[in-house]
Amino acid sequence: MQVSIVIPVYNRADIVPATLSSVAAQSYRPLQVVLVDNCSTDGTLAVLEQFKQDHHDEEAGFTVIVTQESHHTAGAARNAGFRLATGEWVLFFDSDDLMDNELVSSYVKTANRHADKGVNLISTRSTLQLPDGSKRQAPFSRRDIFAQHILHGQLATQRYAVRRDFFDSTDGWNIELPGWNDWELGLRLLLARPVIAYMGGKSRITVNHSGTDSITGTEFHSRQGQWEHVIDIMLLEVRCSQLKHKHKLRFERLLHYRRLVLAAQYQLEGYPQLAKPLCQQAYTDLRKTYHNNAQWRWLVAPVTRRLFQHIANGKRGAAHIARLIY
């Protein structure tokens, strides 16, 4: 069974070699690697071509494709890579992250173990590399996957493998979203009702959240408006879905809570002028879903205010409470 790995790259000539080395070290074969240069100006394309020259070996079951995508978003680059992918299973990966050499093998073993169940998506653990050099495990759960993804992004770019035919039945990556496109896609994948397996064992992925070299970055205020737009899109997707009303209501509330989290992040970064109106919008939208009833007035409203302050003070753990009350 062939597996394809799709990696978009933009101006990562100094960083992507480490990612590519971790890909080349994979124990599993046959493996196809699709590298998509997304309008780089720093010599990245030459690095990708050199990797192909050094590692492409059809007889050994390791094939490398290098292509370019002119539409300058990661989503467009990933879609371009996916169109060239021929593997039965596909992994999307970022150009500044690392994979353990048994990652693909572990995915295949999990897929084979659950083959009789028609599994078409596998979720796995990951490790976050933080700006201070420390590491911590990204939140991971085998239950309540919708809430887990809305709150923690469990189906972020590099944290799952997907059957090619299932992914092909969706609309793919939203090419117009410059940020949080993997969060939005993860929700759409869940709304398509995949059969999910969860890969056990240790984390085999290291996600770079370490600062300027990170694709995701470490601050939000500089792209104010982009994040809010993604939340609006996801709210519309939930409302237009075939989910039962009670599930729609809960996931809408969790998305309103994520707007509150974003407002608290603006506050933490020192931009109260951005935080205040966004916080008020989240608070108002949440109140409407409860019709200003007693539960809202006596429990949810005061807890919501405390959660905002908790996050704005740089503290963690609010999502556990949000999962319970919304």
Side-chain angles (χ1 to χ4, degrees):
M1 177 170 64
Q2 186 187 57
V3 176
S4 297
I5 302 175
V6 176
I7 306 177
V9 193
Y10 171 68
N11 283 355
R12 290 288 186 266
D14 295 334
I15 301 170
V16 73
T19 299
L20 297 179
S21 293
S22 74
V23 173
Q26 292 301 298
S27 64
Y28 184 81
R29 300 291 186 273
L31 191 62
Q32 178 196 48
V33 183
V34 183
L35 305 173
V36 186
D37 178 65
N38 197 200
C39 308
S40 295
T41 59
D42 69 340
T44 288
L45 181 59
V47 172
L48 304 184
E49 293 285 6
Q50 186 63 52
F51 178 80
K52 177 179 179 178
Q53 181 177 330
D54 293 343
H55 294 280
H56 180 84
D57 188 341
E58 291 187 12
E59 291 186 1
F62 192 89
T63 59
V64 181
I65 296 175
V66 176
T67 188
Q68 293 178 280
E69 171 55 46
S70 59
H71 190 103
H72 187 41
T73 65
R78 292 185 183 112
N79 282 340
F82 178 78
R83 288 192 291 270
L84 296 174
T86 58
E88 185 176 341
W89 285 82
V90 178
L91 284 66
F92 295 100
F93 212 71
D94 282 341
S95 59
D96 56 349
D97 299 332
L98 303 174
M99 57 177 70
D100 177 276
N101 59 8
E102 294 296 322
L103 174 66
V104 176
S105 177
S106 297
Y107 272 132
V108 171
K109 290 177 182 177
T110 302
N112 289 337
R113 191 160 55 245
H114 297 280
D116 60 330
K117 300 176 182 176
V119 164
N120 44 29
L121 191 148
I122 302 172
S123 174
T124 192
R125 301 177 188 275
S126 61
T127 301
L128 305 180
Q129 175 80 47
L130 302 176
D132 63 3
S134 64
K135 294 182 178 181
R136 65 176 173 85
Q137 297 299 302
F140 175 86
S141 177
R142 298 170 185 265
R143 299 183 299 173
D144 201 10
I145 184 63
F146 271 92
Q148 184 71 12
H149 179 67
I150 291 172
L151 293 172
H152 299 295
Q154 184 157 320
L155 296 184
T157 304
Q158 59 287 92
R159 301 179 196 180
Y160 64 92
V162 62
R163 284 188 63 96
R164 191 188 189 287
D165 55 357
F166 174 76
F167 189 87
D168 200 30
S169 69
T170 71
D171 292 331
W173 295 83
N174 186 327
I175 67 172
E176 302 303 330
L177 298 182
W180 281 358
N181 47 37
D182 56 345
W183 188 43
E184 185 272 337
L185 173 63
L187 177 65
R188 276 193 289 114
L189 290 176
L190 291 174
L191 289 173
R193 309 314 294 265
V195 180
I196 304 174
Y198 299 89
M199 194 161 78
K202 68 176 185 178
S203 165
R204 296 189 181 277
I205 299 167
T206 300
V207 181
N208 178 23
H209 280 199
S210 61
T212 56
D213 290 340
S214 170
I215 288 175
T216 52
T218 58
E219 49 81 16
F220 292 89
H221 66 271
S222 64
R223 291 196 278 176
Q224 184 265 339
Q226 294 181 8
W227 318 114
E228 293 88 335
H229 179 56
V230 176
I231 294 173
D232 290 339
I233 290 174
M234 294 172 70
L235 279 166
L236 182 61
E237 290 168 349
V238 168
R239 289 166 180 161
C240 294
S241 73
Q242 300 300 311
L243 295 171
K244 293 181 179 180
H245 174 72
K246 66 177 182 179
H247 297 312
K248 286 186 181 182
L249 185 60
R250 183 180 180 226
F251 301 150
E252 282 186 38
R253 288 170 176 170
L254 289 175
L255 286 166
H256 292 321
Y257 164 76
R258 283 301 305 263
R259 199 186 300 274
L260 186 86
V261 172
L262 180 60
Q265 188 64 41
Y266 288 156
Q267 184 78 17
L268 180 61
E269 293 176 7
Y271 291 83
Q273 72 276 20
L274 301 180
K276 185 176 180 179
L278 192 62
C279 178
Q280 185 58 49
Q281 179 185 351
Y283 187 85
T284 299
D285 289 341
L286 274 170
R287 182 177 60 194
K288 289 178 180 177
T289 68
Y290 289 93
H291 305 287
N292 201 31
N293 62 16
Q295 181 186 7
W296 167 258
R297 293 193 302 272
W298 295 103
L299 173 63
V300 181
V303 171
T304 298
R305 294 189 190 97
R306 287 181 177 271
L307 289 177
F308 174 82
Q309 292 300 327
H310 183 86
I311 301 166
N313 288 331
K315 298 179 180 179
R316 298 178 56 209
H320 297 295
I321 300 174
R323 185 195 294 271
L324 294 174
I325 68 166
Y326 297 127

